[in-house]
Amino acid sequence: MTLTELRYIVAVAREKHFGRAAEACFVSQPTLSVAIKKLEDELEVKLFERGANEVTVTPLGEEIVRQAQTVIEGAAGIKETAKRGKDPVSGPLRLGVIYTIGPYLLPDLVKQAIDRVPQMPLMLQENFTAKLLDMLRTGELDCAIMAEPFPDTGLAVAPLYDEPFMVAVPKTHALAKRKHVSAEELKQETMLLLGTGHCFRDHVLEVCPEYARFSSDAEGIRKSFEGSSLETIKYMVASGMGVTVVPQLSVPKDTQPHVRYIPFSAPVPTRRVVLAWRRTFTRYEAIAALRNAIYACQLDGVHRLS
């Protein structure tokens, strides 16, 4: 049994496909298949069920894959411990960020990280919360910036900031001259939402739960439209298609000619943004350096958390 074989079975379990797993491991599919068959013969167990279109992990295989991931992390931890003796923050840090945070935090964060810890380049991955959690679990990411709540996966979590929401309306809209808007007043508006998979979509539906029934059935299309990103939705607002709710950091600093951003009246809806990492991750100084870089960002309008 080798670490390479363990990496192969973790990759197959993640990709559910031998070809994609081989690509992820930078080897040919026959090389990967032979190595996994050798490991199955050595253990005298079947790790995977080979189907026509997808590979599934056997119940016993799932337990072995989990142990394999622990062994791989332990081996990586030995290398990291050796590195920390020379420079605790040397080497890349693999950071995941959800789509509704990345475009607004990363420009400043990358600058702060370069200024503070140039020896720790950030390898960045934008994705949905569910995918980032899976990548944390399998060791593809070291840490991730996400918004609560998310399923308890035994991760270590450090709060970063509480971010209020704002209402975005067309410049010609009746609400455009208001100083504050209540969630109740949005009930009669055509709401523009992010597509399924975005956690911020769920946050908006918590503020305006009546749109949940419109967002998933064709009859309600008159009351709810979906976009692929916050920036796309802002263009839809500018064109007069409806209104939307956005996080504070996504509000442009310059005045926008066609969109007005209005604060909510109390109680103001917010989301808590956190940094999460595996408890087995050994580069504590790297996590601390990343948090310090985040706290050094401007983060206008949010409530920082220590």
Side-chain angles (χ1 to χ4, degrees), residues 88-109:
V89 293
S90 66
L93 185 71
R94 298 171 297 176
L95 172 65
V97 190
I98 59 174
Y99 290 117
T100 57
I101 292 177
Y104 315 110
L105 176 63
L106 289 179
D108 199 2
L109 174 57

Side-chain angles (χ1 to χ4, degrees), residues 163-167 200 203-204 206-207 245-248 251 262-264 268-272:
E163 182 176 20
F165 298 162
M166 301 275 282
V167 180
F200 191 72
H203 294 157
V204 174
E206 287 178 11
V207 176
V245 175
V246 299
Q248 173 71 47
V251 175
I262 311 165
F264 273 95
V268 178
T270 63
R271 67 174 177 180
R272 174 154 294 183

